[in-house]
Amino acid sequence: MRIALKDIKPNPYRDLESYPLNQRKVDGLVKSIEATEVGFWDNVLVRKNAEGKYELASGGHHRLAAAMQAGLKDADFIVKVISNEDMLKIMFLENQQDVLRTPVSILMENMEATVKALAAGSIAVEVKDKANTSLRRYA
């Protein structure tokens, strides 16, 4: 689906202030976009949130920044229904593949995002019927 880049929001669980994009990586992507006739790659996954806004899910924060810096106005995106829990999982898996980040920063961002999501009630922890409730911990 063709969507204006300005209408794509970051993954709501990404903390871009504490864990900003790597500008060197963005610059490399800008060069790649400018060097190809194809421009932007169309395998970036987004979801529509409850307010009807699009949010990045997979393959995209650095690419979206690069596309905007390269002057693109819109691009093709894959739109799927994705739960909050899966948004966190996708973020975690993508962070693990980022060779420019340290394992500690990846773990910290994912843990912070999960705790905030639990506290906000946007995700829930499934507790099995036989679980010992006295051992539960709360965020």
Side-chain angles (χ1 to χ4, degrees):
M1 167 182 258
R2 198 119 188 120
I3 303 171
L5 300 181
K6 66 178 180 56
D7 293 336
I8 306 290
K9 307 296 178 217
N11 181 323
Y13 301 109
R14 286 289 314 259
D15 181 359
L16 293 171
E17 267 188 47
S18 299
Y19 306 95
L21 298 179
N22 182 306
Q23 190 58 46
R24 216 175 51 195
K25 187 174 182 178
V26 172
D27 292 343
L29 289 167
V30 169
K31 288 178 185 172
S32 177
I33 289 169
E34 293 172 343
T36 64
E37 288 185 34
V38 178
F40 190 76
W41 312 267
D42 60 359
N43 63 342
V44 178
L45 182 63
V46 299
R47 75 169 182 182
K48 215 174 210 185
N49 67 16
E51 293 83 39
K53 309 275 186 196
Y54 293 101
E55 297 173 336
L56 280 174
S58 174
H61 290 87
H62 285 91
R63 285 199 240 177
L64 183 63
M68 293 172 107
Q69 285 182 29
L72 298 180
K73 299 293 180 212
D74 57 23
D76 286 316
F77 293 86
I78 301 166
V79 181
K80 290 193 174 188
V81 175
I82 303 170
S83 69
N84 291 333
E85 290 84 354
D86 283 341
M87 290 288 278
L88 282 164
K89 287 178 192 174
I90 290 168
M91 183 182 81
F92 178 70
L93 292 171
E94 281 199 326
N95 284 348
Q96 285 183 316
Q97 295 171 8
D98 190 343
V99 297
L100 300 176
R101 297 212 25 212
T102 66
V104 171
S105 74
I106 292 168
L107 179 63
M108 289 301 299
E109 182 181 13
N110 287 294
M111 291 300 297
E112 289 169 8
T114 302
V115 169
K116 286 178 184 175
L118 285 166
S122 63
I123 66 169
V125 176
E126 183 181 327
V127 178
K128 303 289 183 201
D129 291 337
K130 295 180 181 180
N132 183 344
T133 56
S134 68
L135 299 176
R136 251 188 253 169
R137 301 284 187 246
Y138 296 94

